[in-house]
Every structure is written in C-alpha cells, then in structure tokens.
Amino acid sequence: MDSNKKSLFLALFCFWIGLAVGLLMSPIKNGIIIGSYNGSNNKY
C-alpha cells in the first residue's frame, strides 16, 4: 500500500472511531432536540 493511501485510511478510521465513541459517551437522555433552551419553558 502506498503511503498516501495508508495515511488516508488511518485518518478516516480515526474519524469514524472518534465519532462512534463520541456518540456513545454523549449525554443523550431524552432524545435529540434541535433548537435552544432559552428559558421560555417550551418542552416537547
């Protein structure tokens, strides 16, 4: 394997592993809500 392909593979592999670990460790308890909690008591 050529050095550029190996570097690209390593970068993509680290990206996907980091994404998976980040999703598993993120504190999602009530699902994902896109918006802001600005204190107006708008709960879904």
Side-chain angles (χ1 to χ4, degrees):
M1 208 190 271
D2 141 285
S3 179
N4 288 337
K5 287 183 182 179
K6 192 181 286 187
S7 296
L8 179 63
F9 176 75
L10 182 63
L12 289 174
F13 179 74
C14 288
F15 172 77
W16 286 112
I17 291 297
L19 187 68
V21 169
L23 285 174
L24 289 175
M25 294 180 66
S26 66
I28 298 174
K29 293 186 177 103
N30 296 324
I32 298 173
I33 297 174
I34 298 174
S36 65
Y37 293 107
N38 57 4
S40 61
N41 295 326
N42 293 331
K43 299 289 182 182
Y44 293 102

